[in-house]
Amino acid sequence: MNATEFSVVNISAIRDSSANVAFMDFNDAVRYKPESLFVFYEGQDDDYYYPRLQRYAGRDIEAIKCNGKAKVIAVYKLLLSKSEYAKYHKGFFVDKDFDLNTETFFSDFFVTSGYSIENYYMSDQCMESLLRQKFGFHSGDGNLATVMSNYRSVRQRYFEAIFLFNVWYCAIKRKYGRLEGITLSQDMPKGFVKIDFHAGDVQSQYTMTEIVSTFANAANYPLTPTELAVAETYILSDMRMNLRGKYLLDFLNRYINYLMDVFRTNPAYSTHKRTINIQYNNVMSILSSFSDTEQRLIDYIARV
């Protein structure tokens, strides 16, 4: 099959598929660099995965964004259905989310251990590395222990404040799957959580009744106490990894900016005064080298 035939056959095969754009990107790239590792992401995952792929893959990387988990799966199934694609090196990367991910094909994927890649940024190690490398802290600096203690304390309070909402969302996603009329943003619903970093205080200001009343269609997705209890047990097993990642990243961005304000205004931290443009949209890029890397990700990259 020549390059032209390859292109025509495959685009025709997916003309009505939601994954056609991602496939055509693959189709274009494979003709020019067939020995590359072709990696398929949900979306804006380059900041986390790409440096690790470069380090461990041992070959050129061609990254293809699929615009969602379902589309990564759709492209995977399409490529699997055509024997001529088997010879190419391919990797598929998706977030665990609140899905059970029990389908057998996920053995060919890297699925995050926690909710999403954002959760890999919430460890003590990630924060301490940031403080050392970007703000000049070191082991003999007593302020390092003070800041880390504060971070752990406020982070835990935030986990507890968003816990109930995550339990509810986990339970409805696992019971109903696709949800109509319930769309979440990068931060918690307005008014649900009050944060005062200077006081080290985080307060939950909502109930289950208020969750249901906030989302117009929530009443269409009733839950039993048992279903909520199962979700609660799951999230409690590792809150740092199982809470919704976008909420955690929003917290992390806000906390780092709070720290920079402290370093700028408190004389005790004068040697750590730095100005770094950290926003929600770039915090994953800036902290990528500090975030956690699982051995199973390294093993997966080596395998594909």
Side-chain angles (χ1 to χ4, degrees), residues 69-110:
K69 185 174 183 176
K71 294 181 183 179
V72 176
I73 295 170
V75 172
Y76 164 80
K77 289 182 176 179
L78 173 64
L79 295 175
L80 188 66
S81 72
K82 302 290 184 179
S83 60
E84 62 265 33
Y85 306 149
K87 62 184 177 181
Y88 300 108
H89 296 275
K90 303 176 294 294
F92 303 87
F93 300 81
V94 295
D95 291 339
K96 183 178 181 181
D97 302 320
F98 285 137
D99 303 328
L100 295 175
N101 301 301
T102 55
E103 295 88 342
T104 56
F105 62 75
F106 277 119
S107 62
D108 291 334
F109 283 59
F110 177 78

Side-chain angles (χ1 to χ4, degrees), residues 22 39-51 53 61-69 71-72 91-94:
V39 297
F40 298 85
Y41 303 147
E42 292 188 39
Q44 304 301 319
D45 301 337
D46 277 6
D47 292 332
Y48 180 78
Y49 284 121
Y50 201 83
L53 287 160
I61 307 300
E62 292 290 336
I64 300 169
K65 298 177 182 179
C66 299
N67 193 27
K69 185 174 183 176
K71 294 181 183 179
V72 176
F92 303 87
F93 300 81
V94 295

Side-chain angles (χ1 to χ4, degrees), residues 88-148:
Y88 300 108
H89 296 275
K90 303 176 294 294
F92 303 87
F93 300 81
V94 295
D95 291 339
K96 183 178 181 181
D97 302 320
F98 285 137
D99 303 328
L100 295 175
N101 301 301
T102 55
E103 295 88 342
T104 56
F105 62 75
F106 277 119
S107 62
D108 291 334
F109 283 59
F110 177 78
V111 183
T112 58
S113 291
Y115 185 93
S116 65
I117 58 173
E118 287 90 339
N119 298 69
Y120 294 129
Y121 288 72
M122 295 303 297
S123 67
D124 289 0
Q125 174 268 327
C126 183
M127 176 58 69
E128 184 169 333
S129 295
L130 171 71
L131 293 171
R132 288 175 178 272
Q133 296 191 40
K134 296 293 187 181
F135 295 100
F137 285 82
H138 55 82
S139 298
D141 187 344
N143 285 331
L144 177 60
T146 300
V147 174
M148 286 303 301

Side-chain angles (χ1 to χ4, degrees), residues 36-293:
S36 297
L37 172 59
F38 300 91
V39 297
F40 298 85
Y41 303 147
E42 292 188 39
Q44 304 301 319
D45 301 337
D46 277 6
D47 292 332
Y48 180 78
Y49 284 121
Y50 201 83
R52 291 159 173 84
L53 287 160
Q54 285 187 312
R55 181 174 181 181
Y56 298 112
R59 63 181 65 245
D60 290 340
I61 307 300
E62 292 290 336
I64 300 169
K65 298 177 182 179
C66 299
N67 193 27
K69 185 174 183 176
K71 294 181 183 179
V72 176
I73 295 170
V75 172
Y76 164 80
K77 289 182 176 179
L78 173 64
L79 295 175
L80 188 66
S81 72
K82 302 290 184 179
S83 60
E84 62 265 33
Y85 306 149
K87 62 184 177 181
Y88 300 108
H89 296 275
K90 303 176 294 294
F92 303 87
F93 300 81
V94 295
D95 291 339
K96 183 178 181 181
D97 302 320
F98 285 137
D99 303 328
L100 295 175
N101 301 301
T102 55
E103 295 88 342
T104 56
F105 62 75
F106 277 119
S107 62
D108 291 334
F109 283 59
F110 177 78
V111 183
T112 58
S113 291
Y115 185 93
S116 65
I117 58 173
E118 287 90 339
N119 298 69
Y120 294 129
Y121 288 72
M122 295 303 297
S123 67
D124 289 0
Q125 174 268 327
C126 183
M127 176 58 69
E128 184 169 333
S129 295
L130 171 71
L131 293 171
R132 288 175 178 272
Q133 296 191 40
K134 296 293 187 181
F135 295 100
F137 285 82
H138 55 82
S139 298
D141 187 344
N143 285 331
L144 177 60
T146 300
V147 174
M148 286 303 301
S149 177
N150 178 265
Y151 174 62
R152 294 186 193 99
S153 176
V154 178
R155 181 184 60 186
Q156 181 60 32
R157 289 191 175 105
Y158 182 73
F159 288 173
E160 293 166 0
I162 68 173
F163 173 69
L164 178 62
F165 186 87
N166 277 260
V167 166
W168 168 76
Y169 190 65
C170 176
I172 61 170
K173 284 291 289 183
R174 289 191 168 185
K175 182 176 183 178
Y176 297 103
R178 198 176 181 92
L179 304 172
E180 297 293 336
I182 299 178
T183 304
L184 305 186
S185 63
Q186 70 187 37
D187 52 359
M188 284 283 288
K190 187 176 181 179
F192 274 29
V193 176
K194 180 181 178 181
I195 303 177
D196 184 345
F197 286 124
H198 289 279
D201 188 37
V202 184
Q203 294 181 15
S204 168
Q205 298 186 317
Y206 65 96
T207 64
M208 187 63 73
T209 299
E210 287 165 321
I211 293 174
V212 174
S213 64
T214 296
F215 295 92
N217 284 12
N220 297 332
Y221 302 102
L223 296 166
T224 67
T226 298
E227 289 161 346
L228 287 167
V230 169
E232 180 176 322
T233 299
Y234 166 71
I235 293 176
L236 279 175
S237 67
D238 189 341
M239 293 177 77
R240 180 176 72 84
M241 293 301 290
N242 295 335
L243 292 166
R244 186 170 182 259
K246 284 184 170 55
Y247 295 156
L248 302 188
L249 195 69
D250 178 61
F251 166 84
L252 184 62
N253 169 56
R254 293 167 66 183
Y255 186 81
I256 294 170
N257 277 279
Y258 153 73
L259 284 181
M260 287 192 290
D261 183 57
V262 171
F263 300 162
R264 184 173 59 252
T265 59
N266 189 331
Y269 294 92
S270 60
T271 59
H272 307 298
K273 185 178 179 180
R274 308 282 193 281
T275 300
I276 303 173
N277 179 25
I278 293 183
Q279 305 173 36
Y280 182 87
N281 292 333
N282 69 9
V283 66
M284 287 180 65
S285 175
I286 293 172
L287 273 65
S288 179
S289 63
F290 310 141
S291 56
D292 295 350
T293 304

